[in-house]
Amino acid sequence: MATTVRMPEVLANTTEAAIQSWSVAVGDEVAVGQPLAEIETDKAVVEYAAEVSGTVLELLVAEGDLVDVGAPIAVVGEPGEATTSTDAAPAPAATAGDAPADPESAAPVADAEPAFDESTASQEDVASPDGGGETGPAPDAGRRFMSPLVRRLVREHGIDLAGVTGSGPEGRIVRRDVEPLIAAKGAASAEPAAPGAEAAPAQEAAPAASAASTSPAPPAPATTPGADAELIPHTRMRRTIARRLVESKTQVPHFYLTAECRVDRLLELRRELNAAGTVKVSLNDLVVKAVAGALADVPEANRTWSDDGVLQHRAADIAIAVALDDGLVTPVVRGVEALSVSELGRRIADLAERARSGGLRQHEIEGGSFSVSNLGMYGTREFTAIINPPHAGILAVGAARRAPVVVDGVLEVGTVMSVTLSADHRVLDGAVAARWLAAFQARIEHPLTILA
């Protein structure tokens, strides 16, 4: 029996993703664990392996298409086996006539809703999962059928679908039907105001204001850049970063501790390691290794928050912030405490390179218990970082710099580095965080302990 392969939730809280490239073609034999496609998410490109074996009978989504998680993307079965659109329908009671596949997203058309209006957006008219609701188009009832992608475009751009006739199956509104409206609205927004236009008199504006108070508010106007500005649309990655960081700052009680570490001996150790070894060790590699050592010294800090309880981690799985052209990603190096500094350096370099080229795998951007963000290479002296949930801490690392220091009552010049720990107060109390930061500072200032 043919099996429908659906878009997986390759990352937690992912609601949509795109097929960047297919690794198979129709007619190919696939085995469990064999690469099926590369899936582009908001944060990375993830290789997706087949979970069933058989022959690829259909590829339902074109490369580059964005679809909802759970939407059908392929069909695998026996050679010559017939497939039907009912395989793609998530509603068990739906039939091929009730839920034809959408040609642009392969999502079912059974999820009908009224023509978009901000005043009724919270009361979407969706067909019941058991198929008992009306699923055919009913224009005179104000019900419109559209793909999930079109719904998103309509909401993002505030498009009025009145008068739009769908060109998809059974009159369904598809992307090509709304793209001209989006383009026209963008052109209208960019036009400057007509010369000589003046504000309406107050006595004429008053009735309008009165009417507005008794009617739903219109959609917010689209952002219109001035003549000296350019509007750069948000990428999916930028939207996801914005959402997750707002959630972190509003839901996670942050507190901050700062320390200044003297790093003269650390820099000397790095010079010796690089002179003797074939793999170049960076200052960041030594910092990450010291973070793992401090987590071993203070295991109470190696914890993460969950709704059911605090998770105590045995290994130091550390996420490293990697800057991209349009955002950042935090791949995880696992078991840092068991790695040599040179092996750690190789793994960090490999993850960073593949993060920038879009080649990270799913398990490499999940999990972890702690994060490190280093802006020292940009000359940043000191900063605070936002926690990456569910991690309970992130260390912000500044630049090493020459500064006056006092040693045994004598003033001298040394090299210091400022670090700031952002901690989740639900997991880490102030004393625990302070003990962890002291343990980290001790390992940085006595760097041979990093190699132990």
Side-chain angles (χ1 to χ4, degrees):
M1 180 178 178
T3 301
T4 299
V5 179
R6 301 183 183 277
M7 178 65 77
E9 185 184 19
V10 294
L11 289 176
N13 302 318
T14 299
T15 59
E16 58 185 10
I19 299 293
Q20 186 187 70
S21 64
W22 285 106
S23 303
V24 296
V26 173
D28 287 354
E29 292 288 328
V30 295
V32 174
Q34 178 181 338
L36 196 64
E38 289 187 336
I39 296 176
E40 180 184 359
T41 70
D42 301 317
K43 301 285 284 186
V45 176
V46 177
E47 184 179 80
Y48 176 52
E51 298 176 358
V52 296
S53 59
T55 300
V56 179
L57 302 178
E58 289 185 83
L59 298 180
L60 303 176
V61 178
E63 293 182 352
D65 278 2
L66 180 71
V67 299
D68 286 353
V69 167
I73 59 174
V75 179
V76 176
E78 296 298 326
E81 186 175 1
T83 61
T84 65
S85 61
T86 54
D87 293 332
T95 66
D98 292 329
D102 176 35
E104 61 177 338
S105 69
V109 299
D111 47 348
E113 66 175 23
F116 179 76
D117 187 296
E118 285 287 342
S119 63
T120 60
S122 63
Q123 303 173 6
E124 296 179 349
D125 189 4
V126 182
S128 63
D130 61 6
E134 177 115 355
T135 55
D140 33 38
R143 296 165 68 89
R144 312 303 294 273
F145 289 76
M146 63 191 75
S147 71
L149 175 60
V150 169
R151 282 204 303 274
R152 180 172 63 81
L153 292 174
V154 165
R155 287 187 174 90
E156 287 181 356
H157 297 278
I159 301 300
D160 183 3
L161 294 181
V164 175
T165 301
S167 60
E170 299 189 15
R172 190 173 200 206
I173 299 173
V174 294
R175 179 169 53 188
R176 60 177 172 267
D177 299 323
V178 299
E179 284 178 340
L181 300 177
I182 294 172
K185 185 165 185 176
S189 299
E191 291 179 359
E198 298 178 357
Q203 61 270 27
E204 294 180 9
S210 177
S213 65
T214 59
S215 61
T223 302
T224 304
D228 59 344
E230 175 189 0
L231 180 63
I232 301 174
H234 297 307
T235 62
R236 295 200 309 278
M237 176 180 288
R238 179 53 56 190
R239 289 185 183 278
T240 298
I241 291 172
R243 173 178 56 80
R244 285 181 57 81
L245 294 186
V246 168
E247 289 175 356
S248 178
K249 285 294 286 186
T250 55
Q251 297 177 14
V252 177
H254 288 58
F255 71 97
Y256 310 95
L257 294 86
T258 299
E260 283 202 343
C261 307
R262 186 162 183 181
V263 294
D264 298 271
R265 294 168 67 182
L266 184 71
L267 294 174
E268 181 59 30
L269 174 64
R270 175 175 175 259
R271 281 191 289 268
E272 292 178 2
L273 290 173
N274 287 337
T278 58
V279 177
K280 296 301 181 183
V281 174
S282 71
L283 185 61
N284 191 62
D285 298 336
L286 294 169
V287 167
V288 174
K289 186 67 175 173
V291 167
L295 290 174
D297 295 336
V298 187
E300 306 96 304
N302 197 17
R303 295 174 175 175
T304 56
W305 174 265
S306 76
D307 291 337
D308 297 325
V310 173
L311 299 176
Q312 176 70 61
H313 298 271
R314 296 182 178 88
D317 299 337
I318 301 175
I320 312 298
V322 178
L324 308 178
D325 290 339
D326 57 349
L328 60 88
V329 67
T330 51
V332 178
V333 183
R334 304 189 186 278
V336 174
E337 75 286 351
L339 301 177
S340 67
V341 175
S342 58
E343 177 60 24
L344 174 61
R346 275 193 293 265
R347 295 197 184 185
I348 292 176
D350 173 63
L351 288 170
E353 180 181 354
R354 288 191 288 113
R356 297 186 180 102
S357 63
L360 291 175
R361 302 180 183 90
Q362 179 179 349
H363 71 277
E364 294 172 330
I365 49 179
E366 292 182 328
S369 59
F370 200 94
S371 304
V372 174
S373 179
N374 190 342
L375 295 180
M377 66 282 294
Y378 298 103
T380 300
R381 175 171 175 170
E382 182 180 335
F383 70 105
T384 57
I386 300 174
I387 294 171
N388 181 27
H391 299 174
I394 181 170
L395 187 70
V397 182
R401 66 190 189 280
R402 301 289 284 172
V405 294
V406 177
V407 180
D408 297 330
V410 178
L411 184 65
E412 59 183 61
V413 176
T415 306
V416 298
M417 178 180 71
S418 293
V419 296
T420 300
L421 171 66
S422 303
D424 181 349
H425 216 321
R426 298 173 303 175
V427 181
L428 304 181
D429 292 329
V432 173
R435 285 196 293 116
W436 181 89
L437 189 59
F440 170 81
Q441 182 177 14
R443 285 184 174 265
I444 288 292
E445 295 184 346
H446 301 85
L448 289 179
T449 62
I450 296 176
L451 305 181

